[in-house]
């Protein structure tokens, strides 16, 4: 869609994207507009599912994320690419958890994501195993006989322990079937 908006050679010389710097500025402006539109869209949605993947090209790692939802008024499916960013360093489970949480937060999706679908990579599996937030409404929440524990407020509010809060994790069925068949 971006390429359709690029001025053609028939426009005046002052309106054209004549060099790399001008095009990069135009692309940045389009990105900010797209991000603002998605944030507005997500404000009216209660449940979103995301997907995440990491790949490497020329010794550089990249993370991509998509969001999928159903519009509550029209019951139409919606989808959007919400991230395609460079990951610096080894893609460890802590780095993955940090990036996923940051992307969800950037779009206001932190408490709206019902699940995140990934491949069966050990780094993704461990990230969600270590940092998946408890599912609310489970039978374990029904027990009222639990012991009360007290925690230091400063300790509870500090972010120094690197704890993240990730949504429930689903493994991609296609990847799982591919592993089974091999």
């Amino acid at each position: 869609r971006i390429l359709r908006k690029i001025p053609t050679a028939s426009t005046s010389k002052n309106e054209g994207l004549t060099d790399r710097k001008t095009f990069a500025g135009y692309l940045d402006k389009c990105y900010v507009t797209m991000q603002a539109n998605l944030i507005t869209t997500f404000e009216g949605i209660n449940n979103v599912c995301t997907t995440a993947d990491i790949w490497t090209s020329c010794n550089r790692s990249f993370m991509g994320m998509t969001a999928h939802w159903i519009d509550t008024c029209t019951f139409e499916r919606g989808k959007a690419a919400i991230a395609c960013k460079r990951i610096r360093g080894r893609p460890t489970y802590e780095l993955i958890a940090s990036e996923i949480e940051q992307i969800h937060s950037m779009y206001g999706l932190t408490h709206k994501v019902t699940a995140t679908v990934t491949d069966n990579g050990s780094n993704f599996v461990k990230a969600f195993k270590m940092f998946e937030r408890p599912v609310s409404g489970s039978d374990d929440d029904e027990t009222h006989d639990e012991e009360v524990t007290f925690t230091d407020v400063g300790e509870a509010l500090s972010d120094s322990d690197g704890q993240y809060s990730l949504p429930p994790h689903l493994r991609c069925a296609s990847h799982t079937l591919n592993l089974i068949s091999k």
Side-chain angles (χ1 to χ4, degrees):
R1 293 182 180 185
I2 293 171
L3 294 178
R4 291 182 195 153
K5 295 179 183 179
I6 295 175
T8 61
S10 63
T11 60
S12 71
K13 293 179 183 178
N14 294 335
E15 294 178 21
L17 300 176
T18 58
D19 60 4
R20 184 181 59 85
K21 188 175 180 180
T22 306
F23 181 73
Y26 174 77
L27 200 57
D28 287 341
K29 189 189 318 181
C30 288
Y31 174 77
V32 169
T33 303
M34 180 216 55
Q35 187 178 24
N37 290 340
L38 281 175
I39 289 171
T40 303
T41 300
F42 292 146
E43 286 174 355
I45 295 172
N46 295 328
N47 299 307
V48 176
C49 179
T50 58
T51 66
D53 195 16
I54 292 181
W55 66 94
T56 303
S57 177
C58 300
N59 294 323
R60 295 179 179 179
S61 296
F62 299 88
M63 175 180 253
M65 286 191 72
T66 61
H68 307 269
W69 66 92
I70 296 178
D71 188 302
T72 55
C73 297
T74 63
F75 296 108
E76 291 182 4
R77 289 182 297 173
K79 61 183 184 249
I82 58 174
C84 183
K85 62 187 291 187
R86 172 117 186 255
I87 303 293
R88 300 205 183 267
R90 288 185 57 234
T92 63
Y93 73 96
E94 287 180 322
L95 180 66
I96 289 172
S98 171
E99 293 294 335
I100 290 173
E101 188 174 61
Q102 178 189 11
I103 293 165
H104 286 168
S105 176
M106 181 173 30
Y107 287 95
L109 297 174
T110 304
H111 298 291
K112 294 182 179 190
V113 178
T114 56
T116 297
V117 180
T118 70
D119 59 13
N120 292 303
S122 60
N123 49 1
F124 275 113
V125 173
K126 187 170 182 180
F128 284 93
K129 184 177 181 182
M130 299 295 290
F131 301 116
E132 186 174 323
R133 66 178 166 256
V135 179
S136 61
S138 66
D139 292 338
D140 295 339
D141 293 341
E142 298 293 326
T143 60
H144 299 288
D145 299 335
E146 293 182 18
E147 232 179 84
V148 175
T149 56
F150 295 95
T151 307
D152 180 29
V153 174
E155 185 179 303
L157 295 177
S158 73
D159 242 356
S160 62
D161 57 356
Q163 293 298 313
Y164 306 104
S165 178
L166 297 180
H169 181 227
L170 297 174
R171 297 181 189 194
C172 177
S174 295
H175 283 97
T176 304
L177 288 173
N178 186 37
L179 290 173
I180 291 170
S181 68
K182 288 183 178 181

